[in-house]
Every structure is written in C-alpha cells, then in structure tokens.
Amino acid sequence: MQLTSSFKLVFLKQMLRGFLLSDASSNSMSFHERKNAIKLSADAAIAFARGRTRWSQGLITNLSKNEKNKEILKSLLGREYDNLRKPCGNSLKIPRSKKILRRCLRMCSRRKKAGRAQHICKSILAKALAKKRIQVLKKLVPGGESMDGFSLLDETLDYAMSLKAQVDVMRRLLKTSKASLNIKQMKAWGQGGLDFTAGGHL
Amino acid sequence: MQCLQQAPVSDLSVLERQRLHFDWQQQEQPSRHSYDADLCVRSLNSFTCFSNGLPDLAQYSMPVASNFEEAGVAVSNCNPKRRRAESSPKSKDESNCKRGKQETGGGGGGRSESRQQNNRKEASGDTSSYKNEEHPKADYIHVRARRGQATDSHSLAERVRRERISQRMKYLQELVPGCSKITGKAGMLDEIINYVQSLQRQVEFLSMKLAAVNPLAADNNYSNCSMGISSEPMEQPFLHFNSLQAHPCSGLDMYMDSSSDLVPDGSSFVSCSALNSLYGVEFQLGRGTAAFPFQSFQGNLLPNNLKMEI
C-alpha cells in the first residue's frame, strides 16, 4: 500500500544526502566507520520517508543516542528531526513496572503449576511462549518497548514493509554501483564494443 | 418463545435452528448480538475449531470459538425461560444435556486449556451437537448456555479485541511470505520475528557491501546524484515516474523500477559521464538478464528520455 516508487525515491534521495553529509564516499574512513555511516543514513532516510510513526520515532531516538550521529541526523532531517524525535518519557517507566509484574506472575504461575491439573499448566505454557515472542518482537521493532499488543502488531507490519522497501532500494543501488564499477573497469581495459552498445542507444 | 416451540417440530437443521434462536434473541437483546448470530452460523459452517480465550495477547482465537462462547453468553440470559419451556424434555435429553454441558464446560474452560485439547473438545462438542439433531434446538442451546462468562460487556470487549488481533494477523500473513499455512498465533509470531530479523540482517549486509563498493565506485556518482536531486525541483522526477508508470509495461519488474530510479538523475545530468555510464549500465543489466520485459520497456522509456533531454 505504501511501497510506491515515490516512497522509494524519497528514501533514496535522503540516503544519498546522508552519504554526502556523513562523507561516506571518501576514503578517509575505515570500513566499519563507513558501514556505520551508510547504515545511519539508510535508517534515517527510511524513518524520514515514512513520516511520523511510532517505530520511526523510536528509530531516530535510538540513533540519536550516539552524540556523533546527532549532528548528522540534525542536518539530514532538518525540520523533521524534532518531529521525529518524540520524547518517549514513559518508555522507561513501563518496562520497569512490567519487570516487577512479570516476576510476580512467574512466581504465581510456578505455584499454580504445582497445584492445578495438567491442562491448565499447558495453557500457562502457551501463554508464556506467546509472551516471550512478543517480548522478542518488542526488542526488534524500534520503540517497541512502550507499545501494547495491538499497536505493536500494527507497527510491526509497518516496519516490516518499510524494511522491505529499504532492502529493495539498497540492493538496487548496490547493483548499479557495482555495475558502473564494472563498466568503468571495462572501459579502462579498452573494450570498445560495450561502449558502442551503451552509447548507441543514448 | 414461539419459534422455539416450533423448532422441535419442524425438520430444521441445527444451523437454521440456531439462526431462528438468534433472531428471537435479537428481539430481546441489543443488536450487537446479531453479529454473534451471523458469525456463529458461519462458524458452524466452517468447522474450524481453535482455542478460545487465553485472556491475553497470548491467545489466538478465531471468531468461531468466540462465537461458541458468545452463543453461551447470549443464551445464558434467557436460561430460566428456556428451562421452563423445556419442562417436558425426556430424561434422555437431560442426560444428553448433562453430557453436552460437561463438554462445553470443558471446552469453554478453554481459558485454561491448551489449544490441542480444546480442539478435540470443540470437535467432540460439534459431533455431539450433530448427534442431538433430533432434539430441540433449545436443548442444544441450553447445553451451551453453561458457559459462565463474566458479563456481556466483558465478552463484547474481548470479542472486539480478538477480532482486531485476528485481522492484524491476517495482514501480517499476507505480508510475510510463506505464512498462509501457519494458523497458530505463536507460529505466526515466530515467522514475523524471523522475517523482521532477516530483513534487518539484510540491511546490515547491504550497507556493508555498499561500504565495500563505495570508495571504488565513482564518487562522482553519489555527489552528482544527490546534488542533482537536491537542486532539481522534485516535480520533474515525479513527472517522469508518472509517465513511466502510465505505460503498459509487462511486469513491474525490478528492472523497470531500477531504471525509473535512475532516469531522473540521467535526465538532469545529460552531460555527466558517470551517470550516462550508469544509465548505460542499467540498459546492460536489462539486456543481460530478462530479455522481453526489459526490452519492451526500453522502447517505452526512450521517448520519455528524449523528451526530457530536449
């Protein structure tokens, strides 16, 4: 529904701007630094392209935790930076109280398990399994800690679609970069036939 | 009351009897239960038995099971009346009732049972309901009445919640590839987690690869691309997209999209050799791999490009 070409174009544009701003194309950075810069640009770009959603805000917040990235993000996102950097004040409180609740529930369920029949135990087990998975999902989706069940599923859906678009665009960018590199190399080696083919149609 | 008395006489199927019953119900109770009726009828048709009600997000309950519960709830209000109406049933019916009650009691205690056990019990509940076909519909409902849900508002909210969850699960099933077979909630969550994790890993991997390719590839590319994109008004590239997409291209392949990605850049920097080579690369890529769709697209692409260049 939202995986339109315009969305991908916005993402691509932002990502390339990010590459420039973070100076990813220069040879001055190490491999890891460059990779991190690229990833930062990509994440910021996808959050920007998507607009204001819980996960995009969570993503920008997570990225801003690193001071170095903050500057890049600010210049990249411009006005949107403040919009996207939602103050998730309650995000800290909720996990804390949930931890206590979880501990209590675990204790209670252990006691109950011993007491009741087997079939009740299985249901608690199923509950626990599903809860575990939801916890894992909460960690995966940025900003997912402070979400409840429904919105978590919604955000997961949204996030998965945006990730898909991100992967798609990055893959194509990589392909064209590689191909252009190959072309250059071949030109350097003086293969005139390819040039003719490419030039003849332009 | 009248339709109930008619029901045992006529040769209605269980479904129709239930429908009649729910129609009668509607007169007494707010219309929200009519939703129950439709779903319940449909659920009886579909025969899918899933667990109902683990109270949390931890449950994945299809509307089916919830409707069995709701049927019980809807009926429970009218219990005393029905009991009076059924003062005439035989002892056999009563014993069936009791058996049915136990089963639904067991099936309804689904709050505390595992999915598989619940499936079995629901299935047996179904079979018992079909065995009792000759018996009055009222009996059947009476059996299911012994559900013991808290209040109507609670069950309503629960049902609404479950509907929302199941709807979202459906969307996610469509999104995540290969998930149409998996029907359990935990399994679906597993798949979703795997999918999101794999996508995240792919992003990492691609950024790594881009980092490897980046300094070697034309640095001009990115700077020119981005400069072009930032200086050019955004309408132009979008116009390009529109014109491209309007063409009846065979198959929205990645080739088309990748070309469309780069064409705006190519159009704004005709003189840029790097980008020309990039465009040429795209053409080459298409040539090398998928012959027909790309070539047909190429035919459409060129006139647009020419227009832009002019």
Side-chain angles (χ1 to χ4, degrees):
Chain A
M1 33 176 183
Q2 73 217 47
L3 285 186
T4 56
S5 312
S6 55
F7 175 71
K8 289 182 182 173
L9 181 64
V10 169
F11 166 62
L12 181 67
K13 169 195 169 186
Q14 278 299 114
M15 189 163 70
L16 292 175
R17 273 185 68 205
F19 289 170
L20 263 192
L21 282 168
S22 59
D23 211 13
S25 339
S26 70
N27 289 324
S28 56
M29 303 165 87
S30 75
F31 177 72
H32 278 290
E33 284 175 4
R34 201 178 304 125
K35 175 212 154 197
N36 289 336
I38 288 173
K39 184 148 194 294
L40 174 73
S41 309
D43 288 339
I46 199 72
F48 177 81
R50 184 60 192 93
R52 252 181 161 185
T53 58
R54 298 277 286 273
W55 67 262
S56 63
Q57 285 165 339
L59 185 60
I60 298 291
T61 316
N62 289 339
L63 289 174
S64 309
K65 283 179 186 166
N66 190 345
E67 280 305 317
K68 276 187 287 178
N69 300 339
K70 245 184 173 179
E71 308 305 321
I72 300 170
L73 282 172
K74 273 187 183 166
S75 46
L76 182 64
L77 301 172
R79 267 183 302 143
E80 286 295 312
Y81 182 67
D82 294 315
N83 290 343
L84 290 173
R85 195 155 180 261
K86 177 182 107 168
C88 296
N90 44 352
S91 63
L92 290 170
K93 291 178 192 167
I94 291 176
R96 237 182 271 148
S97 59
K98 273 192 174 173
K99 274 184 193 169
I100 298 167
L101 276 172
R102 269 181 235 142
R103 240 179 271 146
C104 292
L105 282 169
R106 247 177 268 154
M107 308 273 281
C108 295
S109 65
R110 262 182 227 149
R111 282 185 212 137
K112 283 179 189 172
K113 263 186 192 175
R116 286 191 200 170
Q118 201 193 15
H119 57 276
I120 301 174
C121 271
K122 281 186 190 172
S123 77
I124 293 179
L125 190 69
K127 256 191 254 182
L129 277 176
K131 271 203 166 153
K132 242 189 189 178
R133 288 179 178 110
I134 289 163
Q135 281 172 34
V136 173
L137 196 60
K138 280 189 176 178
K139 281 181 205 163
L140 275 183
V141 175
E145 304 283 335
S146 52
M147 288 191 240
D148 75 316
F150 293 122
S151 40
L152 182 67
L153 281 180
D154 273 341
E155 295 294 316
T156 311
L157 184 71
D158 211 55
Y159 182 58
M161 286 186 75
S162 310
L163 272 180
K164 205 173 177 186
Q166 190 179 16
V167 164
D168 206 17
V169 173
M170 283 176 84
R171 196 179 280 155
R172 274 191 240 133
L173 184 64
L174 180 71
K175 203 173 186 182
T176 51
S177 306
K178 269 189 172 173
S180 73
L181 180 67
N182 287 339
I183 286 287
K184 277 197 166 178
Q185 284 178 347
M186 285 182 192
K187 275 186 180 174
W189 299 336
Q191 288 197 4
L194 282 166
D195 275 337
F196 179 73
T197 319
H201 287 264
L202 283 174
Chain B
M1 294 295 281
Q2 285 178 354
C3 62
L4 271 180
Q5 284 162 3
Q6 280 171 10
V9 175
S10 61
D11 245 349
L12 294 171
S13 68
V14 176
L15 297 175
E16 295 185 62
R17 260 181 245 150
Q18 266 221 311
R19 176 151 249 160
L20 279 174
H21 167 73
F22 276 111
D23 288 340
W24 173 71
Q25 276 274 298
Q26 262 185 326
Q27 296 164 20
E28 292 203 15
Q29 293 185 347
S31 55
R32 64 191 182 196
H33 286 294
S34 63
Y35 184 55
D36 273 349
D38 290 336
L39 283 174
C40 203
V41 172
R42 257 184 271 140
S43 66
L44 285 172
N45 281 328
S46 60
F47 271 116
T48 50
C49 301
F50 284 90
S51 86
N52 38 337
L54 297 172
D56 254 342
L57 188 64
Q59 317 135 34
Y60 179 55
S61 52
M62 298 284 282
V64 176
S66 68
N67 285 314
F68 285 138
E69 288 179 4
E70 304 326 310
V73 172
V75 167
S76 61
N77 294 334
C78 308
N79 249 346
K81 290 185 188 172
R82 217 152 300 117
R83 278 192 198 131
R84 270 181 248 133
E86 294 162 59
S87 55
S88 54
K90 301 153 193 172
S91 59
K92 182 188 175 190
D93 293 344
E94 281 174 359
S95 62
N96 281 337
C97 279
K98 282 177 191 166
R99 213 187 343 120
K101 272 179 208 172
Q102 281 171 8
E103 285 180 13
T104 45
R111 297 220 159 245
S112 46
E113 293 189 273
S114 70
R115 244 174 270 141
Q116 286 172 351
Q117 284 198 346
N118 226 5
N119 285 348
R120 270 180 253 130
K121 292 208 171 170
E122 288 282 9
S124 61
D126 266 338
T127 52
S128 70
S129 74
Y130 275 83
K131 279 178 208 160
N132 295 342
E133 227 177 54
E134 321 96 35
H135 302 288
K137 176 193 72 165
D139 242 356
Y140 176 70
I141 301 302
H142 185 227
V143 158
R144 291 190 174 275
R146 282 295 208 96
R147 261 299 293 117
Q149 277 231 324
T151 56
D152 278 352
S153 60
H154 277 293
S155 50
L156 184 73
E158 289 265 351
R159 188 166 29 94
V160 166
R161 228 192 83 254
R162 262 181 253 121
E163 300 279 308
R164 288 166 74 186
I165 290 175
S166 60
Q167 202 186 37
R168 272 148 204 179
M169 287 305 229
K170 262 182 235 165
Y171 286 140
L172 284 164
Q173 260 189 344
E174 286 166 16
L175 179 71
V176 179
C179 255
S180 41
K181 309 161 199 166
I182 300 172
T183 43
K185 188 164 211 177
M188 268 302 302
L189 281 176
D190 257 347
E191 285 299 312
I192 291 161
I193 288 169
N194 285 336
Y195 187 60
V196 170
Q197 271 177 343
S198 76
L199 283 175
Q200 282 177 339
R201 266 183 247 137
Q202 274 183 35
V203 169
E204 286 265 350
F205 181 66
L206 283 169
S207 60
M208 215 165 59
K209 283 201 128 183
L210 275 171
V213 170
N214 208 340
L216 303 174
D219 296 323
N220 316 339
N221 274 0
Y222 296 137
S223 49
N224 285 337
C225 284
S226 47
M227 264 161 36
I229 290 167
S230 51
S231 61
E232 284 277 320
M234 280 306 283
E235 295 87 28
Q236 226 177 3
F238 283 134
L239 275 174
H240 236 303
F241 273 128
N242 291 336
S243 55
L244 287 170
Q245 283 163 5
H247 282 286
C249 297
S250 52
L252 271 171
D253 256 351
M254 63 182 281
Y255 303 108
M256 173 173 150
D257 283 353
S258 55
S259 306
S260 56
D261 264 350
L262 293 166
V263 158
D265 306 334
S267 65
S268 43
F269 293 98
V270 179
S271 52
C272 175
S273 58
L275 285 161
N276 274 342
S277 69
L278 217 54
Y279 179 66
V281 155
E282 277 307 290
F283 181 69
Q284 261 219 318
L285 283 173
R287 256 272 172 93
T289 47
F292 288 118
F294 194 76
Q295 278 176 1
S296 66
F297 177 70
Q298 273 294 305
N300 294 330
L301 176 62
L302 288 171
N304 289 329
N305 217 22
L306 283 171
K307 284 177 203 165
M308 285 306 300
E309 282 170 17
I310 288 165

